[in-house]
Amino acid sequence: MKLAYRIDGPADAPVLVLSASLGTTTSLWDAQVAALAVGRRVVRHDHPGHGESPVPDGPVRVADIGAGVLDILDGLAVERASFCGISLGGMIGMWLGANAPGRIDRLVLACTGASLGTRQMYEERAAIVRAEGTAVMLDGARERWFTPPFRESPTAQRLFDELLQISPEGYAACCEAVGAFDFHCELGRVEPAALVVYGDEDPVTPPPVVDALADGIPHARRAGIAHAAHLANVEQPEAFNAAVLMHLDERIAA
């Protein structure tokens, strides 16, 4: 699966892949790039039908997007990379950690779970978006993505505006991919050292979801981000960046 991507940072530095959430693009990571690209080559990709990536012409699975990430690494002649994904991006990270562990150095799984919600819920959401467009998702995104004090900020509004530009078919196909994903029985195969990051006020990943993910991966620990909902990296970028850098820098120090 062909995925659009952009690169920041030194060409000869270790690679870090950033993978966004459903309904967002590479700009989701704007508040991370300056910090993470110091001494790293940061590769941000768009999901199918999001941003610059082509609209899919058939069903999409998390495994398909994961294979697309590996294609990006192959095209860049990168043998190993660290990976940080949020929500849908975190699911892709789990798949890579289990199915291509030799390609992944360290994992950050943010605001995600081995499954999220129910398959029926996401199938219904996909059907609505195909019929009415992504604008129908705005109210729900406001509730899930950010805490009340942050929802009226210019940064939040920019992401809401971007959601309106996402291809309805791209959103719907990726929505179905999230709904079909259930990795509970596969978590034990995730080999890279993983950091599970969660927002303390994230309605999408309540404590049982976080516990199941962090406890199911053999080499995982967790980091909570205070005063943050589902897009914790946007709402609390300093705390998020610090947690990610601590995890990644342990590998460099070793």
Side-chain angles (χ1 to χ4, degrees):
M1 177 166 286
K2 185 174 179 58
L3 302 173
Y5 63 92
R6 56 190 299 186
I7 299 176
D8 298 275
D12 59 349
V15 171
L16 170 64
V17 177
L18 300 180
S19 185
S21 64
L22 175 67
T24 67
T25 71
T26 57
S27 71
L28 179 74
W29 301 105
D30 283 354
Q32 277 67 60
V33 171
L36 299 183
V38 175
R40 292 178 187 82
R41 191 181 190 193
V42 175
V43 178
R44 295 181 271 174
H45 77 85
D46 279 322
H47 295 307
H50 290 57
E52 300 299 320
S53 287
V55 176
D57 57 5
V60 172
R61 302 172 302 160
V62 167
D64 298 325
I65 309 176
V69 171
L70 293 176
D71 287 343
I72 291 173
L73 296 180
D74 289 343
L76 296 173
V78 173
E79 182 61 30
R80 287 175 63 86
S82 289
F83 185 97
C84 174
I86 189 165
S87 195
L88 169 56
M91 292 176 168
I92 296 161
M94 292 175 227
W95 184 89
L96 289 166
N99 292 282
R103 306 295 301 276
I104 303 300
D105 190 359
R106 293 179 84 80
L107 275 175
V108 179
L109 308 175
C111 306
T112 191
S115 64
L116 294 176
T118 66
R119 186 168 193 158
Q120 180 180 352
M121 178 184 77
Y122 283 98
E123 288 177 347
E124 291 173 352
R125 187 185 297 179
I128 293 172
V129 168
R130 285 191 174 102
E132 303 182 32
T134 54
V136 73
M137 291 291 105
L138 275 177
D139 288 344
R142 285 173 56 84
E143 296 294 318
R144 293 187 297 272
W145 287 1
F146 304 116
T147 63
F150 196 80
R151 290 171 189 164
E152 305 304 322
S153 68
T155 300
Q157 188 57 54
R158 175 179 61 80
L159 289 171
F160 298 145
D161 291 343
E162 279 198 351
L163 175 59
L164 297 177
Q165 304 303 315
I166 302 294
S167 153
E169 180 56 34
Y171 184 99
C174 289
C175 193
E176 290 167 338
V178 172
F181 186 80
D182 187 338
F183 220 60
H184 285 95
C185 294
E186 306 295 330
L187 291 177
R189 297 198 301 115
V190 177
E191 295 184 16
L195 177 68
V196 174
V197 180
Y198 60 94
D200 279 350
E201 300 180 48
D202 184 1
V204 182
T205 61
V209 172
V210 175
D211 290 344
L213 179 59
D215 294 343
I217 296 174
H219 307 289
R221 60 184 181 180
R222 66 193 79 189
I225 307 296
H227 311 298
H230 194 50
L231 299 186
N233 68 309
V234 175
E235 192 160 3
Q236 300 294 340
E238 293 84 3
F240 186 92
N241 293 352
V244 171
L245 285 169
M246 182 176 294
H247 183 62
L248 297 179
D249 287 345
E250 283 185 352
R251 177 64 182 87
I252 293 175

